[in-house]
Amino acid sequence: MSDSEDMTEFASIVERIERGEVPIKNIERELICPICKELFTHPLILPCQHSICHKCVRELLMLNPDDSFDAGSECSLPGSPRSRVPSPSMERLDRLVRSGGSRGSISSPGWRRGSVTPRITTIHCPGCQHDIDLGERGISMLFRNFTLESIVERYRQAARAAVAIMCNICKPPQVQEATKSCMDCKASYCNECFKLHHPWGTPKAQHEYVGPTTNFRPKVLMCPEHEMEKVNMYCEVCRRPVCHLCKLGGSHANHKVTSMSSAYKILKEKLAKSIHFLISKEDQVRTQITDLEHLINQTEENGQLAEREANEHFERLFETLQERKSEMLRSIEQSRNRRLNHLKGQVEEYQGMLENSGLVGYAQEVLKETDQSCFVQTAKQLHVRIQKATESLRTFHPAADPCFDEFVLDTSKEETLLKEMCFGGVPDPPLIDLSHSRVYNEASISWRLSDDHLPTDHHVVEYRRLGAPSPSPSQEDVDDSSVWRATDRVYGPSAVVCDLEPNTLYAFRVRSCRNSMFSPYSPEVTLHTPPAPAFGFLFSDKCGFSAERLALNKRRDTVESVAGMAFLLAAERVQTGSYIGLDYIIGDTGISQGRHYWSFKVEPYSYLVKVGVASDSKLLEWFHNPRDTSSPRYDHDSGHDSGSEDTCYELSQPFTLLTLGMGKLFIPKSSSLSSVSSANASSAADPGNRVLPMPQRLGICLDYEACRVYFFDADTMRCLYERQVDCSGTMYPAFGLMGSGKVQLEEFIAAKKLTF
């Protein structure tokens, strides 16, 4: 087809659409509200360009019926378009929609005058599945979709062709059928009444008229923000009509707008081209529909076949189990009967040893024989039997063992195999990656799949509470440990589990799903939550930060000590000592109340790093009294683990710092073992045990009200050290580095701060 022929056909389609010659059929589902599932009644256009009935928007906003207006709407059932046509006062409806409660007693949706209840302006669009914020004015900001309203009305009229619209002017009983409807007069007329009320040469002759209808919409669309202004421009950013005041100083001042005529032409051309494309591809669509119907039949057949085959496999398993059951039960029965026979025979034999019965009775009768030759002939064999009976009596052994231990059946492996029995397409179980999983008051669980795994649809994370550490857990704790709770579907390799209790042990597991088939569960992992909510902060590059010797990354969550030229020049001036001093850096957020926890990682190669907390007054002293050319050994407040510091460490100081370096952690000296955790009490008493391996992750918990600070192994949540601290001012996370060293905050700690 040539370009000229294509354009001619395109223009023909546009003309047919404009004249309304395209039949309204098979479009019912486009005219159904996704909320009430009925034909649209006074539809409103949401900012996402989807339409919803006015009454449905009100219901979504939980508007009280007493605070709303009566739209006079009567919804038609989708399957019964011949219901009575509603006849509301459209002018009043449009006026009230535009006013939005700014005048009179009409109030905005979700807000009652004088109410302290927060305004609800967010609804969930069922079309795009997104939450739509309607702004401060709520429903009053929405346009009515007059085009959709007209199409719904034409659909109703087409389905109600047998019911005529009568003239509103004719007097009974001679009421004629209407042939025209005037959009200005908002009335329907027969031919005679129309000529009578719209005579030639009068202003009424210029009124706009259409075919018979009961849907009278305003001739001009008014701006919802500026009620007296007509919309004459189109905002390309918000994709909605606006007036000139919106562009001059309103919410669309910096948006790109175009004239309404230009937008009308462009959008109509795009829509007509799209319709033309769909119509030209009608044969292709029908072919694809046929293919889809074939796939539906094939799916039904293959599903039934797979179901029959699975049923056959299970039947064979049942038969095999039944056969094995019969064989094993028969073996047990045979062994039982054999043992019973042996034991019963032994009972009869021993009963013969009783007086006047059996062997003893027979021997007593033989003793009565007086003939010597006859007695000797019989007594020899009898004496052998008596000796055997006597021997068995002395060494009594049951003839059979009553224990059936050899017949105990262990089916644990088979049960595991049966539980793991799955189809060939079932995905492999995922494996939780502990190196990337972290737990705070929220848990970030990451997992990985096998290298040759097929794509999965989603994953499900399950977790359960194993109980808080306490001497006697309550019954509620015991019961709660057996309940697995699942998250929503997860479509990535990680998930966040919220609302975890502090200082509690949790178990986690994951499984994958593909084509409605779930994989086996991953091995369970246990993680311990910190004793307090996570405290979010970043390293401060303002207060006392030394840019010459400390390098801070852009995210401000990693600091590294750099032994540069400045350090070398300072060391050159020192005649004694092998170091200069600590370079301090603190968090950008302070603590003045509550319990808080944060964790971080110190690189194992770090020479010397001090970590802990310090008050604002102590930080000012450190930052305003530089000690670049003197050893901090002579200043016990410097944080150096020297002898002079140990002498006063029992006093409540406005700071507490723990020393790490060269892969080790050093427990400070203390004469009171109460300041050291029970697991490390011996470490404080024995100088040789004060050095511990450096944990991969270190956690700090500050209880401001209790004036106490705790140091934890963040992986196991084992308390390494605790002591009193003077919390008279604002406390800050403090870090001191000397030589080469690097400290990195946990991602959750930094991300929590970056979010705000």
Side-chain angles (χ1 to χ4, degrees), residues 566-616:
F567 187 89
L568 183 61
L569 292 176
E572 191 270 337
R573 297 194 299 269
V574 178
Q575 303 302 321
T576 60
S578 59
Y579 54 88
I580 306 303
L582 289 169
D583 293 305
Y584 287 101
I585 187 170
I586 63 173
D588 61 355
T589 306
I591 299 173
S592 58
Q593 62 179 356
R595 287 168 58 91
H596 302 276
Y597 173 88
W598 61 94
S599 58
F600 49 88
K601 178 182 180 181
V602 177
E603 291 296 337
Y605 67 78
S606 301
Y607 175 67
L608 190 148
V609 177
K610 294 274 191 176
V611 298
V613 295
S615 66
D616 48 2

Short mmCIF file of all heavy atoms in Angstrom, two decimals, residues 566-616:
data_model
loop_
_atom_site.label_atom_id
_atom_site.label_comp_id
_atom_site.label_asym_id
_atom_site.label_seq_id
_atom_site.Cartn_x
_atom_site.Cartn_y
_atom_site.Cartn_z
N ALA A 566 52.50 15.19 55.89
CA ALA A 566 52.33 15.93 57.14
C ALA A 566 52.72 15.08 58.35
O ALA A 566 53.36 15.55 59.29
CB ALA A 566 50.88 16.40 57.26
N PHE A 567 52.38 13.83 58.31
CA PHE A 567 52.74 12.92 59.40
C PHE A 567 54.25 12.74 59.47
O PHE A 567 54.85 12.72 60.54
CB PHE A 567 52.03 11.58 59.18
CG PHE A 567 52.19 10.62 60.32
CD1 PHE A 567 51.29 10.61 61.38
CD2 PHE A 567 53.24 9.70 60.35
CE1 PHE A 567 51.43 9.73 62.41
CE2 PHE A 567 53.39 8.82 61.39
CZ PHE A 567 52.48 8.83 62.44
N LEU A 568 54.86 12.62 58.31
CA LEU A 568 56.31 12.42 58.26
C LEU A 568 57.06 13.64 58.79
O LEU A 568 58.02 13.53 59.55
CB LEU A 568 56.74 12.10 56.83
CG LEU A 568 58.23 11.79 56.62
CD1 LEU A 568 58.65 10.58 57.43
CD2 LEU A 568 58.52 11.58 55.15
N LEU A 569 56.61 14.85 58.41
CA LEU A 569 57.27 16.06 58.87
C LEU A 569 57.10 16.24 60.37
O LEU A 569 58.01 16.69 61.07
CB LEU A 569 56.71 17.27 58.12
CG LEU A 569 57.05 17.34 56.62
CD1 LEU A 569 56.35 18.53 55.98
CD2 LEU A 569 58.56 17.42 56.42
N ALA A 570 55.91 15.89 60.89
CA ALA A 570 55.69 16.00 62.32
C ALA A 570 56.58 15.01 63.07
O ALA A 570 57.11 15.32 64.14
CB ALA A 570 54.22 15.77 62.65
N ALA A 571 56.75 13.80 62.55
CA ALA A 571 57.59 12.80 63.20
C ALA A 571 59.06 13.21 63.17
O ALA A 571 59.84 12.88 64.06
CB ALA A 571 57.40 11.44 62.53
N GLU A 572 59.45 13.98 62.16
CA GLU A 572 60.85 14.39 62.04
C GLU A 572 61.24 15.34 63.17
O GLU A 572 62.40 15.39 63.58
CB GLU A 572 61.05 15.05 60.67
CG GLU A 572 62.51 15.29 60.30
CD GLU A 572 62.98 16.67 60.78
OE1 GLU A 572 62.10 17.55 60.98
OE2 GLU A 572 64.18 16.84 60.98
N ARG A 573 60.26 16.09 63.70
CA ARG A 573 60.55 17.04 64.77
C ARG A 573 60.63 16.37 66.14
O ARG A 573 61.04 16.98 67.11
CB ARG A 573 59.47 18.13 64.80
CG ARG A 573 59.42 18.96 63.54
CD ARG A 573 58.59 20.21 63.78
NE ARG A 573 57.22 19.88 64.14
CZ ARG A 573 56.22 19.75 63.26
NH1 ARG A 573 56.48 19.90 61.96
NH2 ARG A 573 55.00 19.48 63.66
N VAL A 574 60.19 15.13 66.25
CA VAL A 574 60.16 14.44 67.53
C VAL A 574 61.47 13.70 67.72
O VAL A 574 61.89 12.91 66.85
CB VAL A 574 58.96 13.46 67.59
CG1 VAL A 574 58.98 12.72 68.92
CG2 VAL A 574 57.67 14.24 67.45
N GLN A 575 62.16 13.93 68.83
CA GLN A 575 63.43 13.28 69.10
C GLN A 575 63.25 11.98 69.87
O GLN A 575 64.09 11.09 69.79
CB GLN A 575 64.32 14.23 69.91
CG GLN A 575 64.57 15.55 69.23
CD GLN A 575 65.21 15.38 67.86
OE1 GLN A 575 66.07 14.52 67.68
NE2 GLN A 575 64.79 16.20 66.89
N THR A 576 62.15 11.86 70.64
CA THR A 576 61.88 10.63 71.39
C THR A 576 60.47 10.18 71.09
O THR A 576 59.58 10.98 70.81
CB THR A 576 62.01 10.87 72.90
OG1 THR A 576 61.08 11.87 73.30
CG2 THR A 576 63.43 11.28 73.26
N GLY A 577 60.25 8.88 71.19
CA GLY A 577 58.92 8.34 70.90
C GLY A 577 58.81 7.90 69.46
O GLY A 577 59.54 8.37 68.58
N SER A 578 57.92 6.99 69.22
CA SER A 578 57.77 6.42 67.89
C SER A 578 56.42 6.74 67.27
O SER A 578 56.06 6.15 66.28
CB SER A 578 57.94 4.89 67.96
OG SER A 578 56.97 4.34 68.83
N TYR A 579 55.70 7.68 67.87
CA TYR A 579 54.40 8.02 67.30
C TYR A 579 54.09 9.47 67.64
O TYR A 579 54.75 10.10 68.46
CB TYR A 579 53.29 7.11 67.83
CG TYR A 579 53.21 7.06 69.34
CD1 TYR A 579 52.45 7.98 70.04
CD2 TYR A 579 53.91 6.09 70.06
CE1 TYR A 579 52.39 7.95 71.41
CE2 TYR A 579 53.87 6.05 71.43
CZ TYR A 579 53.09 6.98 72.11
OH TYR A 579 53.03 6.95 73.46
N ILE A 580 53.08 10.00 67.01
CA ILE A 580 52.74 11.41 67.20
C ILE A 580 51.50 11.55 68.07
O ILE A 580 51.55 12.15 69.13
CB ILE A 580 52.52 12.09 65.84
CG1 ILE A 580 53.73 11.87 64.96
CG2 ILE A 580 52.26 13.58 66.03
CD1 ILE A 580 55.02 12.36 65.55
N GLY A 581 50.39 11.04 67.67
CA GLY A 581 49.16 11.16 68.44
C GLY A 581 48.00 10.57 67.68
O GLY A 581 48.13 10.10 66.54
N LEU A 582 46.82 10.59 68.28
CA LEU A 582 45.60 10.06 67.67
C LEU A 582 44.89 11.15 66.88
O LEU A 582 44.84 12.31 67.30
CB LEU A 582 44.65 9.53 68.75
CG LEU A 582 45.07 8.23 69.45
CD1 LEU A 582 44.17 8.00 70.66
CD2 LEU A 582 44.98 7.06 68.49
N ASP A 583 44.37 10.78 65.74
CA ASP A 583 43.52 11.66 64.95
C ASP A 583 42.08 11.23 65.17
O ASP A 583 41.69 10.11 64.79
CB ASP A 583 43.88 11.57 63.46
CG ASP A 583 45.26 12.11 63.19
OD1 ASP A 583 45.50 13.27 63.55
OD2 ASP A 583 46.09 11.37 62.62
N TYR A 584 41.29 12.10 65.77
CA TYR A 584 39.93 11.74 66.15
C TYR A 584 38.93 12.14 65.06
O TYR A 584 39.11 13.13 64.36
CB TYR A 584 39.54 12.42 67.47
CG TYR A 584 40.22 11.82 68.68
CD1 TYR A 584 41.32 12.44 69.26
CD2 TYR A 584 39.74 10.64 69.23
CE1 TYR A 584 41.95 11.89 70.37
CE2 TYR A 584 40.36 10.09 70.34
CZ TYR A 584 41.46 10.71 70.90
OH TYR A 584 42.06 10.16 72.00
N ILE A 585 37.88 11.35 64.97
CA ILE A 585 36.73 11.66 64.12
C ILE A 585 35.50 11.15 64.85
O ILE A 585 35.55 10.09 65.51
CB ILE A 585 36.86 11.05 62.72
CG1 ILE A 585 35.73 11.55 61.81
CG2 ILE A 585 36.88 9.52 62.77
CD1 ILE A 585 35.93 11.18 60.34
N ILE A 586 34.41 11.89 64.78
CA ILE A 586 33.20 11.53 65.53
C ILE A 586 32.03 11.39 64.57
O ILE A 586 32.11 11.73 63.38
CB ILE A 586 32.88 12.59 66.60
CG1 ILE A 586 32.56 13.93 65.93
CG2 ILE A 586 34.03 12.73 67.57
CD1 ILE A 586 32.06 14.98 66.90
N GLY A 587 30.91 10.88 65.10
CA GLY A 587 29.68 10.82 64.33
C GLY A 587 29.03 12.18 64.22
O GLY A 587 29.24 13.06 65.06
N ASP A 588 28.23 12.37 63.18
CA ASP A 588 27.60 13.67 62.98
C ASP A 588 26.29 13.82 63.75
O ASP A 588 25.59 14.82 63.61
CB ASP A 588 27.34 13.90 61.49
CG ASP A 588 26.41 12.84 60.89
OD1 ASP A 588 26.05 11.89 61.61
OD2 ASP A 588 26.06 12.96 59.70
N THR A 589 25.93 12.83 64.57
CA THR A 589 24.70 12.88 65.36
C THR A 589 25.03 12.50 66.79
O THR A 589 25.76 11.53 67.04
CB THR A 589 23.64 11.92 64.81
OG1 THR A 589 23.43 12.21 63.41
CG2 THR A 589 22.32 12.09 65.54
N GLY A 590 24.50 13.27 67.74
CA GLY A 590 24.74 13.01 69.14
C GLY A 590 23.58 12.29 69.81
O GLY A 590 22.49 12.16 69.25
N ILE A 591 23.84 11.83 71.05
CA ILE A 591 22.84 11.08 71.81
C ILE A 591 22.64 11.80 73.14
O ILE A 591 23.60 12.09 73.86
CB ILE A 591 23.32 9.64 72.06
CG1 ILE A 591 23.51 8.90 70.73
CG2 ILE A 591 22.33 8.89 72.95
CD1 ILE A 591 24.15 7.53 70.88
N SER A 592 21.39 12.09 73.45
CA SER A 592 21.08 12.76 74.71
C SER A 592 20.03 12.01 75.53
O SER A 592 19.64 12.48 76.59
CB SER A 592 20.58 14.18 74.43
OG SER A 592 19.44 14.16 73.60
N GLN A 593 19.57 10.86 75.02
CA GLN A 593 18.63 10.05 75.79
C GLN A 593 18.50 8.68 75.12
O GLN A 593 18.86 8.50 73.96
CB GLN A 593 17.25 10.72 75.85
CG GLN A 593 16.59 10.89 74.50
CD GLN A 593 15.22 11.53 74.60
OE1 GLN A 593 14.72 11.77 75.69
NE2 GLN A 593 14.59 11.79 73.47
N GLY A 594 17.96 7.72 75.89
CA GLY A 594 17.62 6.41 75.35
C GLY A 594 18.80 5.46 75.22
O GLY A 594 19.93 5.74 75.62
N ARG A 595 18.50 4.27 74.67
CA ARG A 595 19.49 3.23 74.39
C ARG A 595 19.69 3.14 72.89
O ARG A 595 18.72 3.11 72.13
CB ARG A 595 19.03 1.87 74.93
CG ARG A 595 19.10 1.74 76.45
CD ARG A 595 18.36 0.48 76.90
NE ARG A 595 18.89 -0.73 76.29
CZ ARG A 595 19.86 -1.47 76.82
NH1 ARG A 595 20.40 -1.13 77.97
NH2 ARG A 595 20.27 -2.57 76.22
N HIS A 596 20.96 3.09 72.47
CA HIS A 596 21.27 3.09 71.04
C HIS A 596 22.42 2.11 70.78
O HIS A 596 23.29 1.91 71.62
CB HIS A 596 21.65 4.48 70.56
CG HIS A 596 20.58 5.51 70.81
ND1 HIS A 596 19.53 5.71 69.97
CD2 HIS A 596 20.42 6.38 71.86
CE1 HIS A 596 18.76 6.67 70.45
NE2 HIS A 596 19.27 7.09 71.60
N TYR A 597 22.39 1.54 69.57
CA TYR A 597 23.41 0.55 69.18
C TYR A 597 23.90 0.86 67.78
O TYR A 597 23.11 1.24 66.89
CB TYR A 597 22.80 -0.86 69.22
CG TYR A 597 23.71 -1.94 68.69
CD1 TYR A 597 24.62 -2.59 69.50
CD2 TYR A 597 23.65 -2.32 67.35
CE1 TYR A 597 25.46 -3.58 69.01
CE2 TYR A 597 24.48 -3.31 66.84
CZ TYR A 597 25.38 -3.94 67.69
OH TYR A 597 26.21 -4.91 67.19
N TRP A 598 25.19 0.74 67.57
CA TRP A 598 25.76 0.85 66.24
C TRP A 598 26.92 -0.13 66.11
O TRP A 598 27.50 -0.57 67.10
CB TRP A 598 26.21 2.28 65.95
CG TRP A 598 27.28 2.83 66.84
CD1 TRP A 598 28.63 2.82 66.64
CD2 TRP A 598 27.08 3.49 68.11
NE1 TRP A 598 29.28 3.42 67.68
CE2 TRP A 598 28.36 3.85 68.59
CE3 TRP A 598 25.96 3.81 68.87
CZ2 TRP A 598 28.53 4.50 69.80
CZ3 TRP A 598 26.13 4.46 70.07
CH2 TRP A 598 27.40 4.81 70.53
N SER A 599 27.24 -0.48 64.90
CA SER A 599 28.31 -1.46 64.66
C SER A 599 29.14 -1.00 63.47
O SER A 599 28.70 -0.21 62.64
CB SER A 599 27.72 -2.85 64.40
OG SER A 599 26.84 -2.82 63.29
N PHE A 600 30.33 -1.55 63.39
CA PHE A 600 31.29 -1.13 62.37
C PHE A 600 32.35 -2.21 62.22
O PHE A 600 32.38 -3.19 62.99
CB PHE A 600 31.94 0.21 62.75
CG PHE A 600 32.47 0.24 64.15
CD1 PHE A 600 33.76 -0.18 64.44
CD2 PHE A 600 31.65 0.65 65.19
CE1 PHE A 600 34.24 -0.16 65.73
CE2 PHE A 600 32.13 0.67 66.50
CZ PHE A 600 33.41 0.26 66.77
N LYS A 601 33.21 -2.02 61.25
CA LYS A 601 34.28 -2.98 60.98
C LYS A 601 35.61 -2.24 60.99
O LYS A 601 35.76 -1.19 60.36
CB LYS A 601 34.07 -3.64 59.62
CG LYS A 601 35.18 -4.62 59.24
CD LYS A 601 34.93 -5.22 57.86
CE LYS A 601 36.03 -6.19 57.47
NZ LYS A 601 35.82 -6.75 56.12
N VAL A 602 36.57 -2.78 61.72
CA VAL A 602 37.94 -2.27 61.74
C VAL A 602 38.80 -3.24 60.95
O VAL A 602 38.82 -4.45 61.23
CB VAL A 602 38.46 -2.12 63.19
CG1 VAL A 602 39.91 -1.65 63.18
CG2 VAL A 602 37.59 -1.14 63.97
N GLU A 603 39.50 -2.72 59.95
CA GLU A 603 40.32 -3.59 59.12
C GLU A 603 41.43 -4.23 59.95
O GLU A 603 42.05 -3.57 60.81
CB GLU A 603 40.94 -2.79 57.97
CG GLU A 603 39.93 -2.31 56.95
CD GLU A 603 39.27 -3.46 56.22
OE1 GLU A 603 39.87 -4.57 56.17
OE2 GLU A 603 38.15 -3.27 55.70
N PRO A 604 41.70 -5.51 59.75
CA PRO A 604 42.70 -6.21 60.58
C PRO A 604 44.10 -5.61 60.49
O PRO A 604 44.89 -5.74 61.43
CB PRO A 604 42.67 -7.64 60.02
CG PRO A 604 41.34 -7.77 59.34
CD PRO A 604 41.03 -6.41 58.81
N TYR A 605 44.45 -4.96 59.36
CA TYR A 605 45.81 -4.42 59.23
C TYR A 605 45.99 -3.12 60.01
O TYR A 605 47.11 -2.58 60.08
CB TYR A 605 46.13 -4.18 57.75
CG TYR A 605 45.32 -3.07 57.10
CD1 TYR A 605 45.63 -1.72 57.30
CD2 TYR A 605 44.24 -3.38 56.28
CE1 TYR A 605 44.89 -0.72 56.71
CE2 TYR A 605 43.49 -2.38 55.69
CZ TYR A 605 43.82 -1.06 55.90
OH TYR A 605 43.08 -0.07 55.32
N SER A 606 44.93 -2.58 60.61
CA SER A 606 45.01 -1.29 61.31
C SER A 606 46.03 -1.39 62.43
O SER A 606 46.04 -2.35 63.21
CB SER A 606 43.64 -0.90 61.85
OG SER A 606 42.69 -0.79 60.81
N TYR A 607 46.88 -0.33 62.54
CA TYR A 607 47.92 -0.32 63.56
C TYR A 607 47.33 -0.06 64.93
O TYR A 607 47.54 -0.82 65.88
CB TYR A 607 48.98 0.72 63.22
CG TYR A 607 50.04 0.88 64.29
CD1 TYR A 607 50.94 -0.15 64.56
CD2 TYR A 607 50.12 2.04 65.05
CE1 TYR A 607 51.89 -0.03 65.55
CE2 TYR A 607 51.07 2.18 66.05
CZ TYR A 607 51.95 1.14 66.30
OH TYR A 607 52.89 1.26 67.29
N LEU A 608 46.58 1.04 65.09
CA LEU A 608 45.95 1.34 66.37
C LEU A 608 44.69 2.15 66.12
O LEU A 608 44.73 3.19 65.44
CB LEU A 608 46.90 2.13 67.28
CG LEU A 608 46.44 2.31 68.75
CD1 LEU A 608 47.64 2.35 69.67
CD2 LEU A 608 45.61 3.57 68.93
N VAL A 609 43.59 1.67 66.66
CA VAL A 609 42.30 2.33 66.52
C VAL A 609 41.61 2.34 67.87
O VAL A 609 41.57 1.31 68.56
CB VAL A 609 41.40 1.63 65.48
CG1 VAL A 609 40.03 2.30 65.41
CG2 VAL A 609 42.05 1.62 64.11
N LYS A 610 41.12 3.50 68.28
CA LYS A 610 40.33 3.63 69.50
C LYS A 610 38.87 3.82 69.10
O LYS A 610 38.56 4.64 68.22
CB LYS A 610 40.79 4.84 70.32
CG LYS A 610 42.20 4.71 70.89
CD LYS A 610 42.19 3.98 72.21
CE LYS A 610 43.55 4.09 72.89
NZ LYS A 610 43.55 3.46 74.21
N VAL A 611 37.97 3.09 69.73
CA VAL A 611 36.54 3.20 69.43
C VAL A 611 35.78 3.31 70.73
O VAL A 611 36.16 2.73 71.75
CB VAL A 611 36.05 1.98 68.61
CG1 VAL A 611 36.75 1.90 67.29
CG2 VAL A 611 36.24 0.69 69.39
N GLY A 612 34.69 4.07 70.71
CA GLY A 612 33.86 4.21 71.90
C GLY A 612 32.97 5.42 71.81
O GLY A 612 32.46 5.77 70.73
N VAL A 613 32.77 6.10 72.96
CA VAL A 613 31.90 7.27 73.03
C VAL A 613 32.64 8.36 73.80
O VAL A 613 33.54 8.09 74.61
CB VAL A 613 30.56 6.95 73.73
CG1 VAL A 613 29.76 5.96 72.92
CG2 VAL A 613 30.80 6.42 75.14
N ALA A 614 32.24 9.61 73.53
CA ALA A 614 32.83 10.75 74.23
C ALA A 614 31.80 11.86 74.27
O ALA A 614 30.97 12.01 73.36
CB ALA A 614 34.11 11.22 73.54
N SER A 615 31.85 12.67 75.35
CA SER A 615 30.92 13.78 75.51
C SER A 615 31.39 14.98 74.70
O SER A 615 32.55 15.06 74.28
CB SER A 615 30.80 14.16 76.98
OG SER A 615 32.03 14.68 77.45
N ASP A 616 30.48 15.92 74.47
CA ASP A 616 30.82 17.09 73.68
C ASP A 616 31.91 17.93 74.35
O ASP A 616 32.79 18.48 73.68
CB ASP A 616 29.57 17.94 73.43
CG ASP A 616 28.76 18.16 74.70
OD1 ASP A 616 29.20 17.69 75.77
OD2 ASP A 616 27.69 18.78 74.61
#
